Amino acid sequence: MKFLSSTIRSIERVEQALGIFLVLAIVAMVGVQVVSRYFFNQPMAWVEELSTYCFIWTVFVGASIALKQDRHIAITALELCLSDAQKRWLKVLIWISVLAFLLIMIPHGYKVMQVEARSNSVSLPVDIPRMWFYSLPLTLACISMLITSIAGVYQSLVNAFNGMTPVLINSKPDNLI
Amino acid sequence: MTMLLLFGLFAVLVVLQIPIAFAMGLSSLAVIGFTQPVPLTIVVQRIGSGLDSFVLLAIPLFVLSGHLLNRGGIADRIFEFAAAMVGHIRGGLAHVNVVASMIFAGMSGVAQADAAGLGVVEVNAMKKEGFDAAFAAAVSASSAIIGPIIPPSVIMVVYAVMVQASVADLFLAGFLPGILMGLTLMVMIYWLVSTGRTPAPKPVPFSARRLGTTFVRALPALMAPVLLTAGLLMGVATPTELGAVTAIYAAILGVAYKELDYKGLIEAARETLMTCGIMAFIIACAVPFGWVVATSQAPMKLAAFMMEFSDSKWVILAVINIGLLLIGCFMETTAILLIATPTLFPLIVALGVDPVHFGIILVVNLLIGTLTPPFGVILFIMMDIAKISLGQMVRAVIPFYIPLFLTLMVVTYWEGFVLLIPRLFGKV
């Protein structure tokens, strides 16, 4: 368990560094594109495409971090009517559902990667298979989330059996309209 | 049938507190796996490529602008300027609160960021002056939802991408409803204070000199909404490009005011990353969900059923509004938007409602949903800032539902009002 949680922490650090870099890269790229279009009359079509791909990576990397920090939005009404013990078992159920979703996604993600490896991006100056922008980031994020959810299932089961302190599920109001 | 299964499964998963994005993914996987003759790989393909749109890039850009502006000491300057402008009206800082939120709405596109950033400045200032904490929180909460109505607006970007409307037109259509909402809120504040229903300290007399000095101090910050509005009205840049310009301008402003350093920039980028990972991930997972909804033909059947029930545009819009408000009490905003849009859109087209007009109705309606208990996110944020209970918060916010519903009615039934600016400057 100790090994698992330290692995998760290291993955999170890498993901966070990558994600922050991507966000800043998007701003820089779109900013440069505005300048080159309006001041030098030279639109750069590939910048639009590349920055969109960065955005796709950002979202999946961010989703993976959000699962580690338990920040994905859920409607937390049911737990108001549950006892502490029931809450702990509900948490087990939630983690198992997330795990099930990821277990279905990953093999299918692998299949899609093989298909997308054969088609290329549209306007980038170099030929890069589409897989690099769609199925690869999604599948990688799913694998990272799978590791997180294995730890989640394990930890929530331990809590449920030992009757440890009730965990508030998604206690932060993280709505982001 | 497919549709019932999909919605039923999704509802069960959401009630079980499974995060919305995963609940959407799981229910579409299950429904496609059991009822559709297509391989499950379609879910992966749709989620993976669902975000491939340059228009959606406006989301991280405007979210980053919001985070930068909320930390750059800009909120304070705008609040001071608003105080010099309307602080002398009966109700004092409560009016200032609304006006500051309206100015801030012109650069920030996320109500949550406004509530947590400018909201702190507003609530603290009002409490210090001697206003009731619950009243201060209620005013700040209701004015925070103007943020995504006056452009820029992240939620409008999401809607525009779904129905392939022009983001610029939606942005332009947001100006008048946002201003109307601000003004009606101020009327309500004036009434509450002048009838003695809410204790309010004596307002400070108006001073032209104070207005001048605060204006000069706030001028660089005020340039951000001016630039953005000018860009939209003249149509010289796409909303995404304007997002990048706003973000870069906000960063420069923060550095110039000596309130933003390297650490702050990284922190703002990190928060933006999390917003993308939470909100845009729901958008991605909603793509296969929406695909199932569209292929099930159910929206067409719903449209036919509703048209049989009544062929009056106004009756059906009223039914839609009431339904969405009820769902808004229990469900998260982005999720309602992502599910309601593909479900209702065929009906809207059949009724002959302009997609831009419907977008504004939807946005105003869903934002009111963030202020309705038991699941009202802005209420929770404000309770936390003002240190009051949910009961106190809800009691204080009730009078403000009147101006908010009034705005919703005007927006729903007066198409010419909503579409005035886009017709003058846009492509509608």
Side-chain angles (χ1 to χ4, degrees):
Chain A
M1 190 59 205
K2 213 168 189 180
F3 171 72
L4 194 56
S5 63
S6 73
T7 311
I8 291 173
R9 289 299 143 234
S10 343
I11 297 176
E12 188 180 348
R13 269 196 292 278
V14 174
E15 285 174 336
Q16 216 159 59
L18 175 65
I20 291 171
F21 169 77
L22 287 171
V23 168
L24 296 176
I26 290 171
V27 184
M29 273 191 283
V30 182
V32 167
Q33 128 103 343
V34 173
V35 172
S36 86
R37 186 143 84 120
Y38 293 101
F39 295 94
F40 301 105
N41 256 322
Q42 247 165 2
M44 298 185 285
W46 62 271
V47 170
E48 284 197 9
E49 199 170 341
L50 188 61
S51 52
T52 309
Y53 294 146
C54 286
F55 174 59
I56 299 175
W57 272 87
T58 309
V59 173
F60 292 134
V61 165
S64 174
I65 304 173
L67 188 70
K68 292 182 178 67
Q69 300 180 354
D70 207 358
R71 280 180 64 176
H72 278 292
I73 304 170
I75 308 298
T76 52
L78 184 64
E79 65 182 29
L80 300 175
C81 347
L82 296 181
S83 71
D84 283 355
Q86 287 168 327
K87 262 186 238 173
R88 286 188 282 268
W89 283 106
L90 180 64
K91 188 79 188 170
V92 176
L93 180 72
I94 294 171
W95 276 116
I96 290 178
S97 313
V98 172
L99 185 76
F101 173 70
L102 297 168
L103 283 176
I104 305 170
M105 286 294 283
I106 292 169
H108 287 99
Y110 184 70
K111 273 189 224 160
V112 176
M113 271 164 64
Q114 286 168 324
V115 177
E116 287 183 351
R118 278 177 253 132
S119 52
N120 280 332
S121 61
V122 190
S123 67
L124 288 188
V126 280
D127 278 342
I128 304 174
R130 283 158 52 95
M131 169 195 102
W132 282 88
F133 312 116
Y134 302 139
S135 46
L136 182 70
L138 176 59
T139 311
L140 282 181
C142 283
I143 292 173
S144 168
M145 289 195 273
L146 181 74
I147 300 173
T148 313
S149 58
I150 290 172
V153 170
Y154 175 79
Q155 192 60 53
S156 58
L157 273 173
V158 169
N159 288 350
F161 277 114
N162 295 351
M164 299 232 284
T165 35
V167 267
L168 272 179
I169 306 159
N170 281 306
S171 52
K172 281 180 224 120
D174 245 322
N175 180 299
L176 307 138
I177 338 129
Chain B
M1 195 48 220
T2 316
M3 184 89 160
L4 271 183
L5 192 66
L6 181 75
F7 279 19
L9 196 58
F10 175 68
V12 170
L13 292 173
V14 166
V15 168
L16 288 172
Q17 301 194 183
I18 290 159
I20 290 168
F22 295 92
M24 281 179 162
L26 264 175
S27 45
S28 8
L29 276 177
V31 170
I32 292 176
F34 289 120
T35 68
Q36 305 284 315
V38 287
L40 284 181
T41 44
I42 190 156
V43 175
V44 177
Q45 275 171 332
R46 296 278 158 159
I47 295 180
S49 59
L51 297 168
D52 186 5
S53 148
F54 188 64
V55 180
L56 280 178
L57 263 181
I59 295 177
L61 296 169
F62 281 122
V63 170
L64 181 66
S65 317
H67 282 303
L68 288 171
L69 290 164
N70 270 302
R71 78 178 50 236
I74 292 157
D76 291 303
R77 282 163 211 257
I78 287 179
F79 193 78
E80 283 166 17
F81 171 61
M85 205 160 48
V86 292
H88 61 281
I89 303 173
R90 209 160 166 185
L93 278 189
H95 295 294
V96 175
N97 186 324
V98 177
V99 170
S101 293
M102 281 163 74
I103 299 175
F104 216 73
M107 9 181 191
S108 169
V110 188
Q112 187 236 19
D114 293 4
L118 182 66
V120 177
V121 177
E122 292 172 340
V123 170
N124 289 345
M126 282 178 75
K127 271 165 84 176
K128 215 168 99 192
E129 280 273 300
F131 278 95
D132 178 34
F135 178 71
V139 175
S140 311
S142 358
S143 69
I145 69 167
I146 300 174
I149 297 175
I150 293 182
S153 167
V154 166
I155 191 171
M156 285 184 194
V157 173
V158 179
Y159 172 82
V161 170
M162 273 195 291
V163 303
Q164 294 175 335
S166 141
V167 179
D169 282 344
L170 272 154
F171 276 12
L172 291 173
F175 277 112
L176 292 180
I179 293 167
L180 174 72
M181 188 180 269
L183 292 178
T184 48
L185 282 174
M186 286 170 76
V187 170
M188 184 41 107
I189 291 168
Y190 190 84
W191 182 76
L192 283 174
V193 171
S194 58
T195 53
R197 280 177 173 77
T198 296
K202 258 196 135 45
V204 237
F206 179 78
S207 140
R209 231 183 100 210
R210 180 153 157 259
L211 186 64
T213 49
T214 53
F215 175 72
V216 172
R217 252 172 68 80
L219 186 61
L222 291 173
M223 284 309 288
V226 170
L227 271 176
L228 191 93
T229 309
L232 279 175
L233 288 178
M234 295 188 295
V236 286
T238 64
T240 306
E241 291 170 338
L242 289 171
V245 173
T246 314
I248 293 170
Y249 186 74
I252 294 172
L253 216 56
V255 172
Y257 283 160
K258 294 201 175 58
E259 307 221 26
L260 180 75
D261 52 5
Y262 173 73
K263 240 180 94 189
L265 180 68
I266 295 294
E267 192 49 40
R270 207 181 62 79
E271 268 315 304
T272 308
L273 168 66
M274 296 314 293
T275 309
C276 289
I278 298 166
M279 194 183 82
F281 187 58
I282 299 181
I283 299 173
C285 289
V287 178
F289 193 93
W291 182 82
V292 179
V293 171
T295 51
S296 76
Q297 300 287 319
M300 303 296 182
K301 283 178 206 151
L302 176 78
F305 173 76
M306 291 291 280
M307 299 287 272
E308 208 168 288
F309 169 70
S310 161
D311 55 1
S312 153
K313 199 158 136 173
W314 311 127
V315 174
I316 295 182
L317 283 178
V319 173
I320 292 177
N321 263 326
I322 294 169
L324 286 174
L325 283 169
L326 287 177
I327 299 171
C329 295
F330 301 100
M331 194 64 195
E332 193 270 337
T333 322
T334 320
I336 308 178
L337 179 75
L338 292 167
I339 296 173
T341 309
T343 312
L344 296 176
F345 202 63
L347 175 61
I348 291 308
V349 173
L351 282 175
V353 178
D354 188 281
V356 172
H357 179 205
F358 182 64
I360 302 295
I361 300 176
L362 205 57
V363 168
V364 173
N365 188 311
L366 294 184
L367 283 162
I368 295 177
T370 63
L371 291 178
T372 47
F375 191 81
V377 187
I378 305 285
L379 292 185
F380 293 138
I381 296 174
M382 278 303 158
M383 272 162 57
D384 212 40
I385 293 172
K387 313 234 163 13
I388 52 172
S389 72
L390 183 61
Q392 286 173 302
M393 180 78 226
V394 173
R395 261 197 304 282
V397 93
I398 283 173
F400 295 105
Y401 289 146
I402 299 171
L404 296 180
F405 285 131
L406 194 76
T407 310
L408 181 61
M409 294 278 284
V410 171
V411 163
T412 306
Y413 293 123
W414 192 5
E415 190 195 53
F417 174 72
V418 176
L419 295 181
L420 179 68
I421 297 186
R423 275 182 183 144
L424 285 176
F425 295 94
K427 293 175 260 343
V428 171

